[in-house]
Structure formats: structure tokens, C-alpha cells
Amino acid sequence: MNSSAAFNAGIPAFGTWVLYAFLVAAACSFALAVLAGSADRSLATRYYRAARFAALGTCALIALDVLLLAYAFVSHDFRVRYVMRYSDRSMPGQYLFAALWGGQDGSLLWWTFLLATYSAACIVWLRGRYRELAPYVIATLMGVVMSSAR
């Protein structure tokens, strides 16, 4: 089995694991942000920095999951049930892209991706600003990301 065949064989399972990973990363970011808001000043800085990195990692993992689903559509990977339901081989590229949010599962993933993009922009903008409130902002954003991914 060549390397591209091994890569293609694991796309559905890999996408599922990425989904689990971004939920765990969001939960870690949430917990670290809450700790940063309630810890003493020396630990709060470390917790806050870790919460920021975990939140940005969460956003990157969500983007990776969207890219994997888009790749499944473009490559007509019908092992993915969502691709099987909302596409066929005769669809042009723009319809395959739109099929990404054609059903409820894909739509929720797409909205979670948009939410994560705005969250990442907010977290980058917060750097060095509103130190007392920033941990609670990150905790709130990650709480919303976790609830939207259920």
C-alpha cells in the first residue's frame, strides 16, 4: 500500500479524532481561563498564556476539520456518510463547496468554524488588553464553542 492510499484510508477516522481533539482543547482552554481569572497574579499569567494558546489551537483544529470535510467532498469520499448524503460525482465544485453546510451536521461545523475564527480574532486582539477580563472572555468563547460542537 503506497503512502497516498494509507492517507486516504484514514480520512474519516482522522476527521473524527480531530473533532474530539478540538473539544478537548476547548475544554482545557476553558478550564485554564477560569483558573487564570481566579489564581494569584504569578500563576494567573501562566494560566492565561496557556488558555490563549489552547484557544488558538482549538480554532486551528476546527479549521483542520472543515478542511478534511471539504477534502472528502472534493475527492468524493463516500465512506463519510455526510458526503454520501449531500453530494454525488456529477456536482460541480461550487456545489460541492456549498454542500459543506448543506445538512445539519455540516452546517453546525461551519458555524462552529466561523465562531472559532471570530474567537481567534478576538483573542489575538485581546493580547495585552483588559488583563482582568480577558480570561473570562476566553472562557466564555470556549464555552460557546464547546456547546456549538455537540
Side-chain angles (χ1 to χ4, degrees):
M1 179 185 283
N2 62 19
S3 62
S4 66
F7 174 76
N8 286 333
I11 290 290
F14 183 60
T16 302
W17 282 106
V18 170
L19 178 71
Y20 296 147
F22 90 68
L23 286 171
V24 169
C28 289
S29 179
F30 175 82
L32 288 166
V34 169
L35 285 172
S38 62
D40 65 348
R41 195 159 179 80
S42 63
L43 285 176
T45 304
R46 289 182 181 177
Y47 288 146
Y48 173 68
R49 191 175 305 133
R52 283 186 80 237
F53 287 134
L56 294 174
T58 299
C59 300
L61 288 169
I62 293 169
L64 177 62
D65 223 9
V66 169
L67 288 174
L68 286 171
L69 186 58
Y71 177 77
F73 271 109
V74 170
S75 65
H76 303 292
D77 190 352
F78 296 118
R79 294 173 299 167
V80 179
R81 191 176 335 149
Y82 186 77
V83 174
M84 181 180 63
R85 287 183 181 163
Y86 295 101
S87 73
D88 61 49
R89 291 191 184 275
S90 65
M91 290 174 71
Q94 65 268 24
Y95 292 136
L96 287 174
F97 178 69
L100 197 63
W101 60 83
Q104 183 179 10
D105 295 339
S107 180
L108 289 173
L109 179 64
W110 183 253
W111 281 107
T112 304
F113 168 69
L114 293 176
L115 175 68
T117 303
Y118 293 132
S119 297
C122 179
I123 290 166
V124 169
W125 179 83
L126 273 176
R127 185 176 187 173
R129 296 183 178 101
Y130 308 109
R131 283 296 216 184
E132 310 79 44
L133 295 176
Y136 300 111
V137 170
I138 292 174
T140 302
L141 290 171
M142 290 301 104
V144 173
V145 165
M146 285 186 298
S147 68
S148 70
R150 294 186 303 135

